[in-house]
Amino acid sequence: MTYYRGAVHSIISLLLTAAVAVPGAPDKGLSEPVADPVYPAYGNPAIDVLHYGLKLDWKPSKRLLTGTARLTVRAVKKIDKISLDFGRALRVDGVTVAGKTVKARHPGDHLVIPLVMAADERVEVSVRYHGVPKPVRTGQYRSDTSKLGLRSAADGSAWALQEPYGAFTWFPVNDHPSDEARYDVAVTVPRGWAAVAHGRFEGRKGNTYLWRSTESVASYVTLLAVDRYQRFDAKGPRGIPITYWLRRGDRKEYLPVVRQTPAILRWLEKRLGPYPFNSAGVVVTSDSGMETQQMVTLAPEFLTANVVAHEMAHQWFGDAVTPRTWRDVWLNEGFAMYFEWAWYADHGGSKLESYLRDARALDGRLRNQFGPPGHYQASAFGASNVYYGPAVMLHEIRKRLGDERFFATLRAWVQEHKGTTQDRASFVKWLNERTGDDFTALVDDWLDSPTTPTAQ
């Protein structure tokens, strides 16, 4: 997620007795879900969703969403029910398990399907539903995360912002980063409208837009955006397809900005290794900025090349390698912030050292206000404390390793852990083993200290 505007100016201006296994169910999308220590109300560590097939219809005039979600679910342990996160504003029209109709309960923001499953058993669940989606009020410090999920405007346009949670407002989901899955998304909209989702654009049939994710996706980087978009095509490194989706009136001002995406990806590849997915893109929405997988989401106020660089860096750090729980969001934001500064320094901004110096000057105040990066306040998700301090920490690691070893280490981190979820312990253990050095104290100091650590 991009940082809030103030921070930009601060630094860079059924009831069944047994489940029926899905024949030949693939292991792609296999995860090891855990409970979240920061937001325990979301996600279910007892299940692992391997695949979501979403067939959606959006009627702008009524702001009405109609959907069928087909989920391939694996039981992590023996269970007697499947519990999913699913918004209370949406009405369940029918549920089947392995093709058989079942009676499910929908208490609050949860969908509960009675079903006995043995550990590692798999089943296909289908949910039909409709309604006017409503975002969830979070009470978060940041204005752009005070409401999360799918929201719509008076003109019928719609978009989803859902970090750290909120995907449940538009489809039934295990809404936690530790449970990644593959996706196929088909969205039907009226003529003159277009629908954008995460993954690679597979074309359209009539006015149904088709999107596919062949790599695992965390629920917070999924996407649905509907507007009167115009599509522009480009090619990235090694010919990967890139699409830009701009609203009417945006072309003159913002097309030159998003057209810098191939160059930004080439710059990042030189430092981080191959772009980790088979497509990329940018879509303009009405609020904030987000590293939605393979299709970055940016509001006009954030449509600058340096913010595109930030969100594209997240495709390596956050999307390809995802934090196991929200305690380690610094694994996303510290890396993306660091490479945004580095990109900007190479393209007409101040020197990298200037950004690091400013960040260090602000870091103590941020720790005092929001907590240290590794123990931030739950009501202050995405505050700048998880961006700036961890970015400076990365530079301290760089100084100890030297440029060649530092960038080789980051490339190896992504290549060796692509499609997985990680946390501080796994990162530090790997870093120490990879480099032959011990960074435990340095990382703990930067993530846990209530005051800014001294530079080494």
Side-chain angles (χ1 to χ4, degrees):
M1 180 181 290
T2 194
Y3 37 85
Y4 55 91
R5 174 173 282 276
V8 177
H9 292 306
S10 296
I11 287 194
I12 328 179
S13 276
L14 184 194
L15 181 58
L16 297 176
T17 57
V20 180
V22 178
D27 280 337
K28 282 190 175 182
L30 196 70
S31 303
E32 298 178 1
V34 298
D36 198 83
V38 186
Y39 307 109
Y42 299 95
N44 178 3
I47 64 168
D48 171 20
V49 183
L50 305 177
H51 180 266
Y52 294 87
L54 304 180
K55 184 178 180 181
L56 308 174
D57 182 283
W58 177 255
K59 289 183 170 51
S61 61
K62 299 180 179 180
R63 304 191 202 180
L64 177 66
L65 179 69
T66 303
T68 298
R70 292 184 173 87
L71 285 63
T72 303
V73 181
R74 179 181 71 91
V76 174
K77 60 181 182 178
K78 183 179 179 180
I79 58 174
D80 59 8
K81 62 180 175 295
I82 293 174
S83 181
L84 298 161
D85 301 297
F86 190 48
R88 67 187 68 193
L90 299 172
R91 178 176 177 178
V92 177
D93 297 318
V95 178
T96 65
V97 172
K100 296 182 179 180
T101 300
V102 300
K103 185 176 182 179
R105 295 186 297 113
H106 190 192
D109 290 328
H110 296 278
L111 178 64
V112 181
I113 306 168
L115 175 65
V116 174
M117 295 179 70
D120 204 41
E121 208 161 358
R122 306 174 190 201
V123 72
E124 184 175 282
V125 174
S126 179
V127 182
R128 294 183 294 106
Y129 60 96
H130 75 277
V132 178
K134 292 183 180 179
V136 59
R137 294 188 178 274
T138 66
Q140 287 288 331
Y141 168 81
R142 283 178 52 161
S143 61
D144 60 345
T145 60
S146 62
K147 291 195 301 183
L148 290 171
L150 186 67
R151 72 284 308 274
S152 57
D155 65 357
S157 61
W159 68 100
L161 177 69
Q162 53 215 10
E163 187 188 19
Y165 50 82
F168 73 89
T169 63
W170 57 284
F171 66 100
V173 58
N174 197 16
D175 209 352
H176 192 264
S178 64
D179 186 4
E180 299 188 308
R182 296 172 300 122
Y183 283 78
D184 286 281
V185 183
V187 189
T188 301
V189 292
R191 186 174 181 177
W193 295 73
V196 183
H198 53 284
R200 176 169 172 155
F201 181 51
E202 298 286 310
R204 62 175 182 158
K205 295 181 178 179
N207 226 43
T208 297
Y209 288 74
L210 306 174
W211 298 84
R212 171 165 290 179
S213 300
T214 57
E215 301 287 347
S216 59
V217 186
S219 58
Y220 79 96
V221 285
T222 58
L223 167 66
L224 177 61
V226 181
D227 212 320
R228 297 181 181 275
Y229 288 119
Q230 183 177 2
R231 189 184 91 232
F232 301 88
D233 297 319
K235 293 288 184 182
R238 299 174 316 285
I240 65 167
I242 300 176
T243 56
Y244 312 118
W245 303 79
L246 305 183
R247 301 175 299 189
R248 292 179 179 178
D250 288 342
R251 176 174 181 168
K252 183 177 180 181
E253 185 171 2
Y254 299 123
L255 188 57
V257 178
V258 299
R259 286 288 195 199
Q260 296 181 58
T261 299
I264 291 170
L265 291 177
R266 286 192 292 270
W267 184 91
L268 287 166
E269 283 201 340
K270 288 180 180 178
R271 291 149 182 84
L272 304 177
Y275 175 75
F277 302 113
N278 63 5
S279 71
V282 180
V283 58
V284 178
T285 59
S286 297
D287 190 24
S288 195
M290 188 64 205
E291 61 270 21
T292 34
Q293 192 159 310
Q294 298 174 246
M295 180 58 61
V296 163
T297 310
L298 289 174
E301 65 185 292
F302 294 107
L303 257 171
T304 61
N306 59 294
V307 179
V308 173
H310 180 105
E311 306 303 348
M312 289 301 174
H314 271 308
Q315 303 301 305
W316 282 263
F317 303 111
D319 293 18
V321 185
T322 303
R324 185 166 291 125
T325 77
W326 288 120
R327 181 57 68 205
D328 292 306
V329 67
W330 63 271
L331 271 170
N332 293 6
E333 301 302 348
F335 287 78
M337 193 77 261
Y338 187 76
F339 284 97
E340 178 187 345
W341 291 339
W343 183 89
Y344 202 41
D346 280 359
H347 295 82
S350 301
K351 292 183 178 180
L352 176 60
E353 290 72 16
S354 175
Y355 300 126
L356 292 163
R357 184 172 58 250
D358 289 346
R360 183 181 287 277
L362 283 170
D363 181 68
R365 188 193 318 163
L366 294 169
R367 290 171 187 265
N368 182 61
Q369 185 175 2
F370 303 117
H375 299 278
Y376 62 88
Q377 298 168 14
S379 61
F381 182 85
S384 292
N385 59 330
V386 300
Y387 291 72
Y388 298 165
V392 180
M393 178 189 76
L394 276 180
H395 196 69
E396 294 297 314
I397 295 173
R398 179 178 179 177
K399 288 193 300 185
R400 187 185 293 188
L401 290 177
D403 284 4
E404 185 176 350
R405 290 181 68 205
F406 174 73
F407 288 113
T409 299
L410 292 191
R411 287 193 291 270
W413 169 251
V414 176
Q415 292 302 313
E416 294 178 22
H417 298 93
K418 179 182 176 183
T420 69
T421 63
Q422 301 295 325
D423 56 19
R424 185 204 303 201
S426 63
F427 173 75
V428 173
K429 181 177 184 293
W430 180 89
L431 180 63
N432 292 346
E433 292 174 351
R434 173 80 186 188
T435 64
D437 202 344
D438 189 352
F439 287 94
T440 308
L442 183 151
V443 173
D444 287 349
D445 203 16
W446 276 96
L447 295 183
D448 299 337
S449 175
T451 59
T452 302
T454 303
Q456 297 187 358

